[in-house]
Amino acid sequence: MSTNKSSPIWLMKPIKALLLDITGVLYESGTNIAIDGSIDAIQKLRNAGVPFRLITNETQRTVAMLIQKLAGLGYDFIENEVITPAMICREFIRKNQLRPHFLIHPNLEPEFNEIIIRHNPNCVVIGDADDAFTYQAMNNCFKLLMSLKEQSTNENLDHLLIGLGRNKYYRENGQLKLDLGGYLAALEYSTDLRAKIIGKPSKGYFQNALDSFGGKFSKEDLVMIGDDITGDVKGAQDFGVRGVLVRTGKYTPSMEQHPSIKPDAIVDNLKEAIDLIVQKNP
Amino acid sequence: MSTNKSSPIWLMKPIKALLLDITGVLYESGTNIAIDGSIDAIQKLRNAGVPFRLITNETQRTVAMLIQKLAGLGYDFIENEVITPAMICREFIRKNQLRPHFLIHPNLEPEFNEIIIRHNPNCVVIGDADDAFTYQAMNNCFKLLMSLKEQSTNENLDHLLIGLGRNKYYRENGQLKLDLGGYLAALEYSTDLRAKIIGKPSKGYFQNALDSFGGKFSKEDLVMIGDDITGDVKGAQDFGVRGVLVRTGKYTPSMEQHPSIKPDAIVDNLKEAIDLIVQKNP
């Protein structure tokens, strides 16, 4: 039922590798059921030898938990196929010798086990902390940032506040839920700092995904498939990767009339996208 | 020790009434001690027959609690001399027949006793809720706003989210504390709404203060004295009232080099300002 079957411009250039969002593409958020056709689609991709990466803004689970969750739904991913903000943040922290104060979901803490330092922090890392977003926790981040800002030179101000994404909200069990983006906005507003974002839609994050293929591909070779018109579609397009929107997950019909974002294609689901891609790239 | 004694341009036009900030002008936040000279200054003002209003963004106390707190410090104010965001918000709610969902400090609830409606809310009012800013409370506001936004026509979008001020932070017992501004920014970012602000620095709030003199004065007759360069000084100036900064409360020397805001005068404290005013307007 795609409106793009008749004019598949996005399919005219070769597609050598894929970037896939997880939630809303492989399974519906808050459920334990794979989206119809998605498991077979991944298998088809493997059979066709098209490499892919799952690129997610998930910060309520470690990558191990995520793979286990997906395995429970019938998928068989390995760690190297997944890119999470926590993984990239860990590298960023090491490279820049940062000592973060974390405000993250308790589930995510194991990702930073070797990094969590309880003294003399020099930056703040915010994840989707959910109930851990208490006033006291936010106020502690605020006070730390104000004191770091006072000690800082202008050059390192952009490492003080780090966001594992800046999503506005997500859908869980049919209900909207406030995501970390608002909490980052709160700290930005109160401290007059700008957060560095690790995760979609930041270009650096898409670059990390591209790099993970070991230099085999360029931006033009890739397609991103996701249900988030901003994080997935616009993020990919801004980076120079084709962005395909699925009509699953948090998709709403109004996205098809978005005033400024035009996906390279809109498909009913992952299955339809991959059928088209494999058919065109045998 | 004022730098303005030699060129008191702000004193050249008559001053017929005053607007005074409370915290940081009458007493230091988090303490129980009046600022040196402020009690006498208020008495001097009364003796000189210069009318005034206390105009505050305080949303952690009812006006009755505020007057009681000030009485404990040695002041003798009456309710008609005080303007709080809660008072003005109550009028705004009545006038617009709103049914707010409140996220405010428990201490402030008595101000809205007759208004707190537990069903079918059609807007959200945010105060400085302090520890009541839990994730669940914020998420409830977020979900309500998203559902109200969906039902709304464009005309009434600007009544959906109401902020009792939008201060970034305040100082309490020598420590900075996150104020409601960040939490408003969080809801604005996640819902794509713009908050209507009741409180300084909104022009409407200064208009309420002006109106409270019963039409006896115009903007040009007034001077605002406060320790907040944005809320008090710039807010007043934007409205058309002279803005005087005191070197007490949350004042920091860097405010004197503010890149864009130039107070009409900077004085050591309320006492100095009032001595100058009474001397010039005998």
Side-chain angles (χ1 to χ4, degrees):
Chain A
M1 294 288 284
S2 164
T3 54
N4 298 81
K5 273 180 183 164
S6 50
S7 59
I9 302 167
W10 67 290
L11 292 168
M12 291 178 72
K13 273 193 298 179
I15 297 170
K16 297 185 184 165
L18 292 181
L19 303 178
L20 308 177
D21 183 30
I22 296 180
T23 316
V25 174
L26 299 183
Y27 73 98
E28 294 287 359
S29 179
T31 73
N32 283 310
I33 308 159
I35 288 174
D36 223 24
S38 290
I39 295 175
D40 290 346
I42 296 293
Q43 197 50 52
K44 197 165 194 174
L45 216 47
R46 292 198 192 281
N47 295 343
V50 181
F52 63 86
R53 294 290 180 270
L54 307 183
I55 175 169
T56 179
N57 273 12
E58 168 76 64
T59 63
Q60 288 200 1
R61 289 183 178 92
T62 61
V63 66
M65 290 166 72
L66 200 53
I67 287 170
Q68 198 180 5
K69 156 106 193 170
L70 292 167
L73 305 178
Y75 293 99
D76 60 340
F77 298 110
I78 58 169
E79 187 150 337
N80 286 348
E81 290 172 330
V82 186
I83 292 165
T84 69
M87 290 164 57
I88 304 300
C89 185
R90 211 162 48 205
E91 283 172 41
F92 183 80
I93 289 165
R94 285 202 182 109
K95 202 173 134 198
N96 293 282
Q97 299 183 293
L98 299 176
R99 299 180 304 276
H101 169 82
F102 289 93
L103 176 47
I104 55 176
H105 197 282
N107 285 346
L108 197 67
E109 285 179 8
E111 293 285 32
F112 297 106
N113 262 346
E114 294 158 35
I115 283 165
I116 290 180
I117 289 160
R118 309 272 172 203
H119 60 278
N120 197 22
N122 63 359
C123 69
V124 168
V125 172
I126 306 288
D128 177 15
D130 204 75
D131 283 336
F133 278 131
T134 64
Y135 176 76
Q136 289 307 325
M138 282 292 285
N139 194 39
N140 287 340
C141 290
F142 163 74
K143 282 191 295 183
L144 176 57
L145 288 169
M146 290 298 275
S147 118
L148 291 174
K149 195 180 151 191
E150 211 158 282
Q151 301 156 29
S152 290
T153 55
N154 277 336
E155 299 94 71
N156 57 14
L157 282 182
D158 57 343
H159 286 183
L160 292 189
L161 176 59
I162 299 168
L164 301 177
R166 77 171 303 146
N167 303 52
K168 289 171 190 262
Y169 55 85
Y170 57 101
R171 194 178 292 274
E172 192 174 86
N173 302 321
Q175 295 253 316
L176 295 187
K177 278 195 76 178
L178 193 54
D179 209 328
L180 81 168
Y183 285 91
L184 278 176
L187 291 171
E188 288 184 330
Y189 177 77
S190 51
T191 64
D192 285 317
L193 290 167
R194 285 291 142 258
K196 173 182 174 60
I197 305 300
I198 292 174
K200 299 176 283 186
S202 83
K203 288 184 187 174
Y205 196 56
F206 284 100
Q207 184 67 52
N208 294 131
L210 183 62
D211 293 345
S212 75
F213 292 112
K216 280 190 278 186
F217 306 117
S218 65
K219 298 170 186 182
E220 295 73 27
D221 300 329
L222 266 58
V223 162
M224 167 83 212
I225 302 172
D227 68 334
D228 186 319
I229 194 155
T230 311
D232 297 328
V233 174
K234 180 148 199 309
Q237 290 178 336
D238 283 350
F239 178 61
V241 160
R242 281 163 280 179
V244 172
L245 183 71
V246 288
R247 293 197 185 94
T248 54
K250 64 182 157 190
Y251 162 88
T252 56
S254 67
M255 289 180 186
E256 305 205 18
Q257 273 82 49
H258 195 285
S260 61
I261 307 173
K262 303 290 165 214
D264 289 274
I266 304 173
V267 295
D268 281 351
N269 48 39
L270 181 65
K271 181 184 180 304
E272 183 184 352
I274 289 186
D275 282 349
L276 289 166
I277 289 165
V278 170
Q279 200 176 315
K280 267 281 175 180
N281 296 257
Chain B
M1 292 285 286
S2 165
T3 54
N4 299 76
K5 274 180 182 165
S6 50
S7 59
I9 301 168
W10 67 289
L11 292 170
M12 292 178 69
K13 273 193 298 180
I15 297 170
K16 298 185 185 165
L18 292 180
L19 304 179
L20 309 177
D21 184 31
I22 296 180
T23 317
V25 174
L26 300 183
Y27 72 97
E28 294 287 358
S29 179
T31 73
N32 284 311
I33 307 158
I35 289 174
D36 223 26
S38 291
I39 294 174
D40 289 346
I42 296 293
Q43 197 49 55
K44 197 166 195 173
L45 215 46
R46 291 197 193 282
N47 294 345
V50 181
F52 63 87
R53 294 291 179 268
L54 307 183
I55 175 170
T56 179
N57 272 11
E58 169 75 64
T59 63
Q60 288 200 0
R61 288 184 180 91
T62 60
V63 67
M65 290 166 72
L66 200 55
I67 286 171
Q68 197 180 7
K69 155 107 194 170
L70 291 167
L73 304 178
Y75 293 98
D76 59 340
F77 298 109
I78 58 169
E79 188 151 335
N80 286 348
E81 290 172 329
V82 185
I83 292 164
T84 69
M87 290 164 57
I88 304 301
C89 186
R90 210 163 46 205
E91 281 173 43
F92 183 80
I93 290 166
R94 284 202 183 110
K95 203 174 133 198
N96 292 281
Q97 298 182 294
L98 299 176
R99 300 181 302 277
H101 168 84
F102 289 93
L103 176 48
I104 57 175
H105 197 282
N107 283 348
L108 197 65
E109 284 178 10
E111 293 285 32
F112 297 105
N113 262 347
E114 293 157 36
I115 283 166
I116 290 180
I117 289 159
R118 309 273 172 203
H119 60 278
N120 197 21
N122 63 359
C123 69
V124 168
V125 172
I126 306 288
D128 178 14
D130 204 74
D131 283 337
F133 277 131
T134 63
Y135 176 76
Q136 290 307 326
M138 282 291 284
N139 194 41
N140 288 341
C141 291
F142 163 73
K143 283 191 294 182
L144 176 57
L145 288 170
M146 291 298 274
S147 117
L148 291 174
K149 196 181 149 188
E150 211 158 282
Q151 301 157 29
S152 288
T153 55
N154 277 335
E155 300 92 72
N156 56 13
L157 282 181
D158 58 342
H159 286 182
L160 293 188
L161 176 59
I162 299 168
L164 301 177
R166 76 172 302 148
N167 302 53
K168 290 171 190 264
Y169 55 85
Y170 56 101
R171 194 179 293 273
E172 191 174 87
N173 302 321
Q175 296 253 317
L176 295 187
K177 279 195 78 178
L178 193 55
D179 209 327
L180 80 168
Y183 285 90
L184 277 176
L187 291 171
E188 288 184 330
Y189 178 77
S190 51
T191 62
D192 285 317
L193 289 168
R194 286 291 140 257
K196 172 181 174 60
I197 304 301
I198 292 174
K200 297 176 285 187
S202 83
K203 287 182 189 177
Y205 196 56
F206 284 100
Q207 183 66 54
N208 294 130
L210 183 62
D211 292 346
S212 75
F213 292 112
K216 277 189 283 187
F217 307 117
S218 63
K219 298 169 185 184
E220 295 72 28
D221 299 328
L222 267 57
V223 162
M224 167 83 213
I225 303 173
D227 67 334
D228 187 318
I229 192 154
T230 310
D232 297 327
V233 174
K234 180 149 197 311
Q237 290 178 335
D238 284 351
F239 177 63
V241 160
R242 283 163 278 180
V244 171
L245 183 71
V246 287
R247 293 196 184 95
T248 53
K250 63 182 158 191
Y251 162 87
T252 58
S254 67
M255 288 180 188
E256 306 205 18
Q257 275 82 49
H258 195 286
S260 61
I261 307 173
K262 303 290 165 215
D264 288 274
I266 304 175
V267 294
D268 282 351
N269 47 40
L270 181 66
K271 179 184 183 306
E272 184 184 351
I274 289 186
D275 281 349
L276 290 166
I277 289 165
V278 171
Q279 202 176 314
K280 269 279 175 180
N281 296 260

